[in-house]
Amino acid sequence: MAVMVKHEKLKNWVQEVVELCRPGSIHWCNGTKEEYDHLMTLMVENGMADSLQNRPNSFLFRSDPSDVARVEDRTYISAPTQDEAGPTNHWIDPDELKKTMTELYTGCMQGRTLYVIPFSMGPIGSPISKIGIELTDSPYVVCNMHIMTRVGTKVLEVLGTDGDYIPCLHSIGAPLAEGQEDVPWPCAPIEKKYISHFPQENLIWSFGSGYGGNALLGKKCLALRIASAMAKREGWMAEHMLILRLTNPEGRRFHIAAAFPSACGKTNLAMLEPTIEGWKCECIGDDIAWMKIGNDGRLYAINPEAGFFGVAPGTSYNSNPMAMETLKENCIFTNCALTDDGDIWWEGFDGEPPAHAIDWKGNDWTPDSGRPAAHPNARFTAPAAQCPVICPDWEDPKGVPIDIFVFGGRRAGVVPLVNEAYNWDHGVFLGATAASETTAANIGAVGNLRRDPFAMQPFCGYHMGDYFQHWFDMGDKLGAKAPRIFYVNWFRKSPDGKWLWPGFGENSRVLKWMCERVEGRADAVETPTGLFPRKVEGKAGAVETPIGLLPRKEDLDLTGLDIDNDDVEELLRIDTKAWQAELPDIEKHFDQFGRHLPQRLKVQLENLRKRLK
Ligand code: GTP
Ligand code: SPV
Ligand code: MN
């Protein structure tokens, strides 16, 4: 490869990795379409991918059945001490982990090509952006990184002779002996998988998996785990949040950043088509937000990514039309089903299921097979620029000023459709106590309720208690310019298991209430204790409840919505007994943080306890 690399440190690192992993060849990625096309052609020829006859320039991959999602149990925050990683992270002493992984890396790329991927998280050259270099032996990873990040020689130019970058070493952990036949999705067994982070060195080592967040190291590993630790040190924020712009009929813009756990509705909300008259939504990002305080004292957010790595099942013209439009061409599909006419399919797709398909494991499938055709964590990789509602400012290096933070999760009971925090401290409490049912985005049990603070439990690169303190510190700096905080639950169910709220585009009704609350800001009263502040009368009304400010039925715009009055009442009902039952669990959740738990969260818990009496 005729690439002039002037960066000594980078050259030396690549050389070290070559000596350790012993690849058959090296390829420096330039990020061009020719490179992408060439690798895809190679993978189709090798039987790793199907070229979709009915979707231009799109490809389908089937992973190994053991390698279908993130592996939280094999993910490590290898800080110098376990105390720095905190109770929510797996930890191994850095020297020990490096020793174990060095053994695994030895000769691991034999018979394969080592790809050097220079990438930028955020627009190339923006002051908020960061450069990473991923070394990988997976051409699938290279093509995905082309879509998800900004890859290319331009990144090396910005790096110059001594610029900073985050080294990201990745191997699928499946060397090929001479003459050995390859498999469609090579990877290592679960006990050899390691997704490791060394936050003190800004270093990422990943081994054994080729899937999603385990392998596309710019995403969860760099943009959340390593970036969150950097953000704490440097006074900014790296959050698991979508970013959207909502414009009201008068033309006023609101920027909303929302944190929901994996597979809990970020991509869907980010591209929502409002069902209410005159409101417009534009997408800025669907998974990650990097935020810094601007010169005007407000909080500005950028999307560090360039593509969407979205959950396929459930995506349809009915639920998320803008995503469907984004997926028309130039996409990678992983673990979706293949139809007889050369297109993809998944559960929840529009129309009738196909009479016959090839399922995600490569087997024949019919609607009465009694098993899903697509894996529940099947994903699409799509260029963000293809989204019809992508915001014209989505690549503005300055970012967009955030007005509203939303937290939430997937809970069949207890938590109402929406409530507003009394003040910043109460909002941090809502984030810190967020709970959600687990999903197929991680390998493990699905449907178990767990605390997932700020949707960051799998992604915080340091002690979660210190992370809570960082939220208080940011709030103190932002003061009156801090975004207002809300909590939502689109997933409340009736006793017979039906969704009480229609969700998707109808969520615009809830966002409208939030914007109107913000507009009535002058009337909002914040009290230092958060204990029953006096009645808040903004443009849109709300009532005080023990858990926060709730809309009354008449405060929500339900025009034209076909919903049972009883269901609305249930969605807005506070069951004091059920909330009292949450208290011991919140206490237990807080106890694990020991001396790292901010005093201000204890105050919030006591306030909630008093309000529930
Ligand atoms: P990650 O990419 O894993 O971070 O997920 P995400 O938070 O972006 O979730 P996504 O928007 O992909 O939604 C996950 C699943 O939840 C999909 O199957 C959606 O159809 C479903 N979903 C999203 N929004 C709603 C909603 O408002 N109501 C209901 N009932 N389901 C929803
Ligand atoms: C998530 O699990 O939150 C995702 C998918 O966004 S992955 O990239 O695999 O982490
Ligand atoms: Mn995510």
Side-chain angles (χ1 to χ4, degrees), residues 70 219-220 224 240 260-263 266 286-288 309 379 459:
R70 286 183 295 100
K219 196 174 180 57
K220 304 299 164 149
L224 286 178
H240 191 198
F260 309 147
S262 302
K266 287 183 301 301
D286 83 324
D287 199 49
I288 298 174
F309 184 66
R379 298 261 169 179
F459 308 119

Side-chain angles (χ1 to χ4, degrees), residues 400-518:
V400 296
I402 299 299
D403 302 286
I404 290 170
F405 276 138
V406 185
F407 304 127
R410 191 181 273 273
R411 283 202 65 173
V414 185
V415 178
L417 178 64
V418 59
N419 65 293
E420 181 184 350
Y422 282 122
N423 52 34
W424 183 266
D425 278 24
H426 184 223
V428 174
F429 176 79
L430 295 182
T433 55
S436 192
E437 289 144 23
T438 51
T439 65
N442 174 45
I443 289 188
V446 170
N448 288 352
L449 189 66
R450 72 164 178 188
R451 296 282 158 197
D452 188 347
F454 296 84
M456 283 289 278
Q457 128 77 45
F459 308 119
C460 184
Y462 59 102
H463 196 296
M464 186 66 82
D466 297 342
Y467 169 87
F468 296 158
Q469 184 57 49
H470 186 49
W471 267 83
F472 286 121
D473 294 341
M474 291 302 293
D476 291 344
K477 277 189 213 156
L478 288 160
K481 291 180 176 164
R484 285 262 277 271
I485 301 179
F486 296 82
Y487 196 100
V488 300
N489 178 21
W490 314 137
F491 298 95
R492 191 135 162 186
K493 283 183 178 170
S494 66
D496 56 349
K498 287 206 201 72
W499 303 121
L500 285 175
W501 179 249
F504 304 103
E506 305 295 0
N507 293 333
S508 57
R509 300 172 189 276
V510 176
L511 300 188
K512 177 183 176 186
W513 178 71
M514 294 176 188
C515 294
E516 290 177 348
R517 296 288 306 155
V518 168

Side-chain angles (χ1 to χ4, degrees), residues 88-153:
T88 57
N89 285 313
H90 296 292
W91 178 85
I92 296 177
D93 171 79
D95 291 338
E96 188 190 326
L97 183 55
K98 281 187 181 167
K99 186 162 169 279
T100 306
M101 291 189 73
T102 300
E103 275 164 28
L104 289 168
Y105 279 131
T106 303
C108 72
M109 294 186 186
Q110 200 192 326
R112 302 198 181 276
T113 300
L114 166 65
Y115 300 93
V116 182
I117 315 174
F119 65 97
S120 176
M121 298 308 289
I124 294 176
S126 151
I128 310 185
S129 299
K130 302 259 179 246
I131 288 175
I133 308 281
E134 178 161 351
L135 306 189
T136 181
D137 51 5
S138 162
Y140 167 84
V141 165
V142 177
C143 288
N144 275 273
M145 289 292 283
H146 265 236
I147 298 176
M148 294 305 295
T149 73
R150 289 132 175 124
V151 173
T153 15

Side-chain angles (χ1 to χ4, degrees), residues 355-377:
H356 172 265
I358 301 296
D359 73 7
W360 70 275
K361 287 185 175 173
N363 298 321
D364 286 306
W365 179 94
T366 63
D368 16 72
S369 295
R371 55 171 205 277
H375 186 276
N377 192 42

Side-chain angles (χ1 to χ4, degrees), residues 561-581:
L561 181 64
D562 183 19
I563 188 170
D564 264 16
N565 189 42
D566 290 354
D567 287 352
V568 179
E569 268 164 27
E570 179 60 18
L571 283 161
L572 299 176
R573 190 169 67 89
I574 303 296
D575 179 344
T576 310
K577 281 230 161 57
W579 277 98
Q580 280 165 342

Side-chain angles (χ1 to χ4, degrees), residues 196-507:
S196 304
H197 309 74
F198 304 91
Q200 264 61 16
E201 301 169 64
N202 291 343
L203 174 68
I204 300 163
W205 279 12
S206 167
F207 186 91
S209 167
Y211 206 91
N214 300 332
L216 314 177
L217 300 186
K219 196 174 180 57
K220 304 299 164 149
C221 297
L222 193 163
L224 286 178
R225 300 196 189 94
I226 292 296
S228 64
M230 295 174 93
K232 164 81 173 168
R233 295 193 293 264
E234 297 165 8
W236 51 285
M237 303 172 96
E239 301 295 334
H240 191 198
M241 289 177 170
L242 68 94
I243 311 165
L244 66 83
R245 170 184 290 171
L246 202 58
T247 308
N248 75 10
E250 291 79 50
R252 174 158 176 198
R253 288 169 171 177
F254 299 87
H255 293 102
I256 301 181
F260 309 147
S262 302
C264 289
K266 287 183 301 301
T267 301
N268 278 269
L269 193 67
M271 299 173 194
L272 124 151
E273 264 202 320
T275 51
I276 42 177
E277 267 299 300
W279 289 68
K280 185 168 106 182
C281 178
E282 290 162 303
C283 174
I284 291 154
D286 83 324
D287 199 49
I288 298 174
W290 282 358
M291 293 172 283
K292 286 191 176 165
I293 300 178
N295 293 333
D296 60 359
R298 299 182 70 192
L299 191 62
Y300 284 80
I302 67 156
N303 168 15
E305 301 188 281
F308 307 126
F309 184 66
V311 177
T315 308
S316 67
Y317 274 97
N318 190 35
S319 63
N320 192 353
M322 292 304 118
M324 294 303 284
E325 287 292 315
T326 310
L327 302 182
K328 278 186 161 167
E329 54 187 354
N330 312 319
C331 289
I332 299 172
F333 296 91
T334 310
N335 287 344
C336 302
L338 176 67
T339 62
D340 293 347
D341 63 350
D343 201 2
I344 33 79
W345 189 83
W346 47 71
E347 279 63 31
F349 212 87
D350 302 275
E352 290 297 308
H356 172 265
I358 301 296
D359 73 7
W360 70 275
K361 287 185 175 173
N363 298 321
D364 286 306
W365 179 94
T366 63
D368 16 72
S369 295
R371 55 171 205 277
H375 186 276
N377 192 42
R379 298 261 169 179
F380 52 77
T381 318
Q386 282 182 196
C387 181
V389 290
I390 197 77
C391 180
D393 296 327
W394 81 283
E395 296 192 281
D396 186 343
K398 185 164 101 272
V400 296
I402 299 299
D403 302 286
I404 290 170
F405 276 138
V406 185
F407 304 127
R410 191 181 273 273
R411 283 202 65 173
V414 185
V415 178
L417 178 64
V418 59
N419 65 293
E420 181 184 350
Y422 282 122
N423 52 34
W424 183 266
D425 278 24
H426 184 223
V428 174
F429 176 79
L430 295 182
T433 55
S436 192
E437 289 144 23
T438 51
T439 65
N442 174 45
I443 289 188
V446 170
N448 288 352
L449 189 66
R450 72 164 178 188
R451 296 282 158 197
D452 188 347
F454 296 84
M456 283 289 278
Q457 128 77 45
F459 308 119
C460 184
Y462 59 102
H463 196 296
M464 186 66 82
D466 297 342
Y467 169 87
F468 296 158
Q469 184 57 49
H470 186 49
W471 267 83
F472 286 121
D473 294 341
M474 291 302 293
D476 291 344
K477 277 189 213 156
L478 288 160
K481 291 180 176 164
R484 285 262 277 271
I485 301 179
F486 296 82
Y487 196 100
V488 300
N489 178 21
W490 314 137
F491 298 95
R492 191 135 162 186
K493 283 183 178 170
S494 66
D496 56 349
K498 287 206 201 72
W499 303 121
L500 285 175
W501 179 249
F504 304 103
E506 305 295 0
N507 293 333

